[in-house]
């Protein structure tokens, strides 16, 4: 009976650990940026804490008279210390943002070290306590003759508990009760584990007696404090904001005049629609600014549809990868496409997009939204399209990188009609010339003909690029496409002062890109080696944190 | 027991390397699964379930036999070699599974829930096998450590080494290996680490056996 109770307690401990981990990681990934680097750093910080705890636990076990009692107190300590972690993720982003701005641009190692230090600061205390439990339990019940069997049982039940914790946190707690609610649940589980371990220290189970112990008071106070700490109400401050704000105070000033129109925690992140004091609506996905409704941004979202649309002769079916504000999909609709399909991985973005879209379009049966991973959808959907426009989120975001590789472009090609085109958006303001060469070379592995278009603003030329790959290389000439676009813009259909004929032009450096095809030093962006993701990340960091150095390096 | 401390250090180094390798694989599987089968929350959960489930199964299986093993050193050597082989094979296997999944779904018109089940099955089978090997490491290393220096210290130290190894693996793979040399080359590094772990355990096992034999011989001859 006691062994079974011990295994149950240790399984619950595993469940709580994964709920803590996933909750912290959600908030930290908003702060650090949802990158592959951040993923490694967060996991590394968590495991370092566990290792430290196991080491401390091993060192102290020799002198401990009642190891199970201590294990119970350690479990209670996890709940108490989760307050420190919660305070960290709640109030650290501002400090982190300012540290990052003042020191982060110096070199990549110090930037990543700062990210690790921030994660470790948040997780260190509770994870160290988590790591201490195992050696204490082993000290209490382990016998040399059966140590392999016991350690395996403990390890296995803890791992099964961790699986349960990861599943319920991902699909239930985080979407339903958010980060704070999930942390409160995890703390309750830790308290429960502490009670179970404590009950094992007495000769017979006496639950009522447990409620007379001082630990119960500590547990109660812990839960009250956790509940009392307010959850974050405003949009998150993270790496993504480094592009727009010089300091946390700057961000707070801007945030003071904002109103929240939509706010929903989802499977992947917290999605918000915020209205600025000047009336601009912004879509946030985690801490990433995914788009606005201002005319400036709408130049790009309109051109991502208009350029491929005028590169084909038919206005049949279009596929848009990534919903965002929905303006690209809406442009296809306005240009008369019979059917537009949009693939979006995050279900919460769909209701959020209704704050941006025209109601005639949003309610139309000529528009379909598929909630799925775009890559999985393209690989398995039997439908063929005249145009595919790929405008996923920032290429440095974890998961999004899979939508910029040669293999993805090949998959998209199989979904094109014989005269169809594939349009790849590239944020040129974050790319160096060698990055553009790499992406052009990557796309030329798949398409014989690739037209390159520059999106220009009055103050910035070549701000963004569109690479259009043709299934049929003898399709419409680029000059004719430009004429069609100019004619459309001249009609004033876009009703946007920034959409003028000069805003979209053939890219002037195509000869350089062609020359790079033969250069073996220019890599191809593949699944196995997704170079763009990392290059764009460091470009983003340099540009956001040290714009002057970035500008001079670009020259 | 004190004279076994160098062998125990050898074991702990092996456990750390195995921990590094297992987390390199976890990071790579998250990436590879995203490429092959999509980056949905379901896909990520499948990966985590396969990884953790494999660890639990491996631990349970080996836990039944570990205490009774005459030579747990050689068992751990075999487990590490199998972990290297199955772990390395899992990376191209996931890519092929992605292709097989596309062929099956397009041929049968499978969509929605059943397509997801198929996706899950592919991922679970491919990742669970090396994860089972990783899971077997823990009880075997605990038993070996106990025979070398005694149970209480051995169990905690093995746990700490495994966690530190995992931390190093997550950091090294996420920050340096995968961004620099790509997915498959990183998997090759992980496999080499498993083989290094096997080598260290083999050396420790060899020395331990020699020492035990010489002790037994001295006892036998009354010296």
């Amino acid at each position: 009976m006691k062994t079974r109770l011990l295994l149950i307690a240790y399984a619950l401990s595993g469940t709580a650990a994964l709920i803590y981990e996933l909750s912290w990681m959600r908030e930290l990934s908003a702060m650090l940026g949802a990158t592959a680097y951040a993923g490694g750093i967060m996991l590394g910080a968590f495991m370092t804490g566990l290792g430290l705890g196991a080491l401390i636990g091993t060192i102290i076990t020799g002198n401990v008279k009642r190891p199970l009692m201590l294990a119970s107190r350690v479990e209670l300590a996890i709940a108490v210390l989760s307050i420190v972690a919660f305070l960290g993720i709640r109030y650290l982003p501002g400090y982190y943002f300012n540290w990052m701005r003042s020191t982060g641009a110096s070199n990549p190692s110090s930037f990543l070290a700062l990210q690790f230090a921030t994660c470790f600061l948040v997780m260190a205390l509770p994870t160290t306590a988590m790591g201490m439990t195992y050696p204490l339990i082993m000290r209490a019940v382990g016998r040399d003759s059966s140590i392999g069997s016991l350690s395996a049982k403990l390890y296995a039940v803890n791992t099964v508990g961790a699986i349960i914790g990861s599943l319920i946190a991902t699909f239930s707690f985080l979407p339903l009760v958010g980060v704070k609610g999930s942390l409160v649940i995890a703390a309750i589980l830790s308290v429960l584990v502490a009670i179970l371990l404590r009950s094992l220290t007495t000769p017979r189970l006496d639950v009522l007696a447990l409620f007379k112990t001082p630990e119960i008071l500590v547990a109660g106070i812990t839960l009250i404090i956790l509940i009392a700490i307010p959850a974050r109400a405003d949009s998150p401050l993270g790496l993504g904001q480094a592009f727009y704000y010089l300091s946390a105070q700057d961000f707070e000033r801007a945030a003071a005049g904002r109103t929240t129109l939509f706010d929903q925690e989802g499977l992947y992140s917290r999605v918000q629609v915020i209205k600025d004091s000047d009336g601009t609506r912004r879509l946030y996905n985690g801490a990433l600014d995914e788009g606005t409704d201002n005319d400036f941004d709408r130049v790009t979202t309109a051109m991502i549809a208009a350029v491929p649309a005028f590169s084909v002769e038919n206005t049949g079916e279009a596929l848009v990868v990534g919903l965002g504000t929905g303006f690209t999909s809406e442009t296809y609709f306005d240009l008369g496409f019979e059917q537009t399909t949009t693939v979006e991985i995050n279900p919460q973005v769909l209701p959020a997009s209704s704050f941006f879209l025209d109601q005639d379009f949003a309610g139309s049966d000529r528009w379909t939204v598929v909630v799925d991973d775009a890559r999985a959808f393209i690989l398995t959907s039997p439908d063929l399209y005249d145009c595919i426009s790929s405008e996923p989120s920032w290429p440095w975001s974890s998961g999004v990188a899979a939508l910029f590789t040669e293999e993805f472009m090949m998959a998209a090609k199989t979904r094109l009609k014989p005269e169809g085109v594939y349009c790849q958006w590239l944020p040129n303001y974050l790319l160096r010339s060698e990055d553009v060469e790499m992406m052009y070379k990557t796309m030329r592995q798949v398409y014989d003909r690739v037209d390159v278009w520059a999106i220009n603003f009055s103050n910035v030329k070549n701000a963004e690029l569109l690479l259009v790959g043709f299934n049929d290389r003898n399709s419409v000439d680029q000059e004719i496409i430009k004429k069609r676009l100019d004619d459309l813009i001249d009609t004033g259909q876009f009703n946007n002062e920034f959409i003028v004929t000069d805003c979209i032009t053939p890219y002037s450096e195509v000869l350089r890109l062609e020359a790079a095809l033969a250069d073996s030093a220019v890599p191809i962006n593949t699944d196995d080696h997704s170079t763009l993701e990392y290059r764009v990340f460091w470009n983003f960091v340099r540009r956001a944190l040290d714009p002057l150095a970035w500008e001079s390096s670009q020259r | 027991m004190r004279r076994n401390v160098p062998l125990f250090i050898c074991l702990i180094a092996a456990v750390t390397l195995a921990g590094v390798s297992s987390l390199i694989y976890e990071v790579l599987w998250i990436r590879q699964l995203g490429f092959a089968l999509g980056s949905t929350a379901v896909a990520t959960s499948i990966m985590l379930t396969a990884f953790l489930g494999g660890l639990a199964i491996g631990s349970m299986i080996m836990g039944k036999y570990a205490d009774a093993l005459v030579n747990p050193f050689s068992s751990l050597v075999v487990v590490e070699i199998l972990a290297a082989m199955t772990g390395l094979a899992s990376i191209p296997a996931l890519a092929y599974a992605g292709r097989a999944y596309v062929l099956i779904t397009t041929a049968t018109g499978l969509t929605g829930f059943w397509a997801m089940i198929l996706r899950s099955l592919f991922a679970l089978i491919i990742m669970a096998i090396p994860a089972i090997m990783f899971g077997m490491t823990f009880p075997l290393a605990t038993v070996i450590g106990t025979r070398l220096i005694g149970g209480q210290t051995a169990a905690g130290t093995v746990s700490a080494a495994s966690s530190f190894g995992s931390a190093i693996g997550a950091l090294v793979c996420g920050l340096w290996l995968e961004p620099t040399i790509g997915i498959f080359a990183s998997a090759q590094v992980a496999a080499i680490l498993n083989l290094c772990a096997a080598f260290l355990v083999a050396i420790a096992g060899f020395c331990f056996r020699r020492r035990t034999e010489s002790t037994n011989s001295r006892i036998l001859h009354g010296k």
Side-chain angles (χ1 to χ4, degrees):
Chain A
M1 172 66 185
K2 284 206 167 183
T3 308
R4 195 170 291 172
L5 210 56
L6 179 72
L7 292 176
I8 290 170
Y10 203 50
L12 284 175
S13 174
T15 306
L18 257 282
I19 298 172
Y20 285 124
E21 183 186 1
L22 292 174
S23 305
W24 295 332
M25 283 171 96
R26 170 153 311 196
E27 287 293 301
L28 285 169
S29 66
M31 193 159 99
L32 308 178
T35 64
Y37 288 121
I41 284 171
M42 290 185 286
L43 203 53
F46 189 84
M47 299 307 296
T48 304
L50 292 186
L52 267 180
L55 202 61
I56 294 169
T58 307
I59 291 167
I60 64 169
T61 45
N63 305 320
V64 175
K65 294 279 182 289
R66 300 177 70 193
L68 261 189
M69 176 67 88
L70 185 58
S72 161
R73 286 181 180 158
V74 165
E75 280 294 331
L76 190 59
I78 296 170
V80 175
L81 294 170
S82 76
I83 297 174
V84 179
F86 187 39
L87 286 171
I89 56 174
R90 177 71 182 79
Y91 296 106
L92 208 54
Y95 295 105
Y96 169 74
F97 192 84
N98 289 340
W99 292 335
M100 177 180 70
R101 285 222 69 106
S102 58
T103 62
S106 53
N107 69 60
S109 305
S110 66
F111 182 86
L112 294 176
L114 179 66
Q115 290 208 328
F116 181 80
T118 308
C119 286
F120 196 62
L121 201 63
V122 169
M123 298 181 186
L125 292 175
T127 51
T128 302
M130 284 175 199
M132 287 173 69
T133 319
Y134 175 76
L136 287 171
I137 291 177
M138 285 302 285
R139 163 80 180 156
V141 294
R143 302 285 172 268
D144 280 11
S145 58
S146 60
I147 199 144
S149 152
L150 183 72
S151 67
K153 271 184 195 161
L154 285 171
Y155 187 73
V157 294
N158 190 254
T159 308
V160 169
I163 294 173
I164 294 167
S166 85
L167 293 176
I168 54 174
T170 303
F171 295 103
S172 173
F173 294 160
L174 285 168
L176 293 177
V177 295
V179 169
K180 182 185 161 176
S182 303
L183 287 174
V184 171
I185 291 169
I188 291 170
L189 281 176
S190 294
V191 170
L192 187 61
V193 175
I195 291 171
L196 285 173
L197 291 177
R198 170 89 192 218
S199 71
L200 293 172
T201 62
T202 52
R204 60 186 187 87
L205 280 177
D206 185 357
V207 179
L208 279 179
L210 292 174
F211 284 91
K212 293 171 189 163
T213 59
E215 282 90 339
I216 287 297
L217 186 66
V218 175
I221 293 169
T222 301
L223 294 176
I224 289 168
I225 293 174
L226 266 178
I227 292 165
I229 299 171
R232 178 172 51 74
D234 50 356
S235 53
L237 177 60
L239 180 65
Q241 307 307 321
F243 213 67
Y244 309 103
Y245 302 100
L246 288 173
S247 68
Q249 292 71 27
D250 251 11
F251 174 79
E252 279 158 21
R253 271 192 291 277
R258 288 173 173 170
T259 45
T260 302
L261 303 176
F262 176 87
D263 189 350
Q264 216 171 82
E265 196 75 58
L267 272 178
Y268 300 92
S269 60
R270 186 171 178 176
V271 176
Q272 292 176 305
V273 178
I274 305 285
K275 191 174 168 186
D276 283 348
S277 52
D278 66 356
T280 302
R281 292 180 178 197
R282 291 179 187 277
L283 175 68
Y284 282 102
N285 192 350
L288 290 179
D289 190 337
E290 296 277 9
T292 74
D293 65 351
N294 69 34
D295 283 350
F296 204 73
D297 268 8
R298 292 191 67 167
V299 175
T300 305
T301 47
M303 288 304 132
I304 292 170
V307 171
F310 284 103
S311 301
V312 293
E313 300 294 354
N314 301 316
T315 50
E317 284 80 32
L319 176 72
V320 180
V321 173
L323 174 59
T325 52
F327 290 136
T328 300
S329 306
E330 191 174 307
T331 304
Y332 271 119
F333 176 85
D334 291 341
L335 292 173
F337 270 68
E338 290 166 23
Q339 189 63 43
T340 303
T341 305
T342 308
V343 198
E344 171 58 51
I345 193 167
N346 193 338
Q348 275 66 39
V349 174
L350 183 56
S353 71
S354 66
F355 288 88
F356 296 89
L357 296 174
D358 181 82
Q359 289 312 304
D360 286 347
F361 164 66
S364 166
D365 57 6
R366 285 168 49 209
W367 182 46
T368 315
V369 178
V370 177
V371 177
D372 196 358
D373 176 87
R375 189 155 167 155
F377 176 78
I378 278 180
L379 281 167
T380 53
S381 160
D383 301 328
L384 295 178
Y385 301 93
D386 295 287
C387 302
I388 297 177
S389 288
S390 183
E391 52 156 349
S393 186
W394 305 72
W396 50 262
S397 287
S398 199
V400 176
L403 306 177
F404 287 87
T405 64
E406 182 190 8
E407 288 83 352
F408 176 71
M409 291 173 188
M410 276 177 160
K413 191 178 181 186
T414 64
R415 300 273 72 87
L416 287 177
K417 290 180 181 175
E419 294 182 352
V421 295
Y422 168 79
C423 176
Q424 177 72 61
W425 161 78
L426 288 179
N428 196 40
Y429 54 93
L430 290 178
L431 300 180
R432 294 167 303 164
S433 55
E434 55 263 45
D435 306 328
V436 179
E437 286 167 8
M438 177 180 70
M439 289 311 292
Y440 183 77
K441 189 174 180 178
T442 302
M443 198 135 157
R444 281 295 309 276
Q445 307 302 307
V446 183
Y447 298 97
D448 285 343
R449 175 183 161 191
V450 175
D451 286 357
V452 186
W453 295 86
I455 295 175
N456 312 298
F457 301 106
S458 55
N459 54 345
V460 193
K461 298 292 172 206
N462 302 332
E464 305 188 55
L465 296 179
L466 301 178
L467 272 57
V468 181
F470 289 75
N471 236 352
D472 174 9
R473 65 169 296 118
N474 299 316
S475 196
V476 194
D477 192 74
Q478 195 172 16
E479 279 179 28
I480 297 171
I481 299 165
K482 172 64 179 155
K483 173 82 173 57
R484 288 173 176 178
L485 285 165
D486 289 349
D487 290 346
L488 175 77
I489 289 167
D490 285 340
T491 63
Q493 182 179 328
F494 289 111
N495 195 26
N496 181 335
E497 60 172 311
F498 297 108
I499 298 186
V500 291
T501 53
D502 280 350
C503 80
I504 183 83
T505 54
Y507 186 53
S508 57
E509 295 176 45
V510 175
L511 286 178
R512 177 176 57 81
L513 301 182
E514 276 293 319
L517 292 178
D519 185 350
S520 59
V522 176
I524 295 167
N525 194 51
T526 62
D527 281 359
D528 186 64
H529 208 160
S530 166
T531 311
L532 182 77
E533 174 182 7
Y534 301 103
R535 284 191 183 181
V536 171
F537 174 72
W538 290 115
N539 293 346
F540 177 90
V541 170
R542 286 187 198 104
R543 173 146 193 208
L545 303 185
D546 196 354
L548 288 176
W550 168 264
E551 292 295 333
S552 65
S553 73
Q554 286 298 86
R555 270 186 233 116
Chain B
M1 292 261 179
R2 186 172 291 171
R3 61 187 189 142
N4 285 334
V5 168
L7 303 185
F8 184 68
I9 291 171
C10 227
L11 173 75
I12 290 306
V15 172
T16 308
L17 289 178
V20 175
S21 167
S22 69
L23 255 285
I24 289 177
Y25 279 117
E26 186 183 349
V27 171
L28 295 180
W29 284 338
I30 294 174
R31 305 274 296 167
Q32 185 72 359
L33 201 65
F35 287 127
L37 299 167
S39 300
T40 57
V42 174
T44 311
S45 296
I46 290 166
M47 195 289 303
L48 207 57
T49 304
F51 182 72
L52 295 174
L55 293 182
I57 292 168
S59 181
M60 283 303 285
I61 292 172
M62 192 47 75
K64 281 189 179 172
Y65 309 105
D67 291 312
L69 285 172
V70 177
N71 188 353
F73 291 94
S74 54
S75 303
L76 188 50
V77 170
V78 171
V79 161
E80 287 306 315
I81 291 170
L82 286 175
M85 287 163 61
T86 54
L88 189 60
S90 69
I91 301 295
L94 271 175
Y96 286 121
R99 284 178 214 165
Y101 167 73
V102 171
L103 284 175
I104 294 171
T105 48
T106 44
T108 59
L110 213 60
T111 53
F113 176 76
W114 291 109
M116 192 192 75
I117 294 290
L118 184 67
R119 244 190 261 190
S120 312
L121 272 177
F122 273 129
L124 279 171
I125 293 166
I126 292 167
M127 291 184 294
I129 295 168
I132 286 172
M133 299 300 146
F134 303 155
M136 287 181 171
T137 304
F138 194 71
L140 275 173
T142 307
V143 167
I144 294 172
T146 305
R147 293 187 190 174
L148 288 173
I149 62 159
Q152 306 307 333
T153 312
T157 315
V158 164
S159 169
S162 177
S163 298
F164 280 128
S166 302
I168 295 167
L171 290 169
V172 165
C173 187
L175 305 187
W176 178 62
L177 270 184
E178 206 272 323
T180 315
I181 59 173
I183 293 176
F184 189 68
S186 303
Q188 287 174 317
V189 172
I192 290 169
L193 293 178
N194 283 123
L195 294 178
C196 290
F199 181 68
L200 285 171
V201 176
I203 288 175
F206 177 75
C207 295
F208 184 69
R209 204 169 55 244
R210 285 281 297 271
R211 200 168 278 176
T212 313
E213 280 168 3
S214 89
T215 309
N216 290 347
S217 157
R218 276 205 302 272
I219 293 168
L220 214 62
H221 294 94
K223 289 179 185 170

